[in-house]
């Protein structure tokens, strides 16, 4: 909730965080190896991935963890990212 208030540090959006650095590196390598389409920039894919990740985690939390996060993620992520995969 601290990330949606209008004042204060929004550290979850800080692109200098290791989290964003590693995601960016993985996506760039995936594009170079031909596993991820270059129809979108690395930054666009990174934003799509982090949006999906936050959405899944948020849904899991508001559902009181009443399903397997791992199983759901393995099922839904390929569907969400079918457009960026070659």
């Amino acid at each position: 909730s601290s990330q949606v208030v209008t004042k204060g540090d929004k550290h979850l959006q800080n692109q200098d965080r290791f989290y964003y650095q590693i995601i960016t590196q993985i996506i760039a390598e995936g594009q170079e190896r031909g596993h991820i389409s270059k129809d979108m920039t690395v930054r666009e894919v990174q934003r799509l991935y982090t949006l999906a990740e936050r959405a899944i985690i948020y849904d899991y939390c508001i559902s009181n963890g009443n399903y397997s996060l791992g199983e759901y993620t393995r099922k839904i992520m390929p569907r969400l990212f079918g457009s960026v995969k070659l």
Side-chain angles (χ1 to χ4, degrees), residues 9-73:
D9 183 27
K10 301 231 179 194
H11 63 277
L12 289 179
Q13 297 285 344
N14 183 347
Q15 294 292 309
D16 293 329
R17 288 177 52 216
F18 178 73
Y19 168 81
Y20 284 107
Q21 292 173 6
I22 195 72
I23 297 290
T24 300
Q25 179 183 345
I26 290 168
I27 293 166
E29 288 177 12
Q31 285 185 331
E32 288 302 313
R33 293 178 182 174
H35 299 292
I36 298 174
S37 172
K38 291 186 178 182
D39 289 349
M40 297 172 69
T41 66
V42 170
R43 173 84 170 124
E44 289 171 324
V45 177
Q46 177 219 55
R47 290 191 73 192
L48 177 63
Y49 173 80
T50 56
L51 170 71
E53 184 180 75
R54 284 191 307 267
I56 290 169
I57 292 170
Y58 179 76
D59 183 71
Y60 178 77
C61 291
I62 64 172
S63 298
N64 295 318
N66 65 1
Y67 57 86
S68 169
L69 183 59
E71 287 179 29
Y72 184 71
T73 301

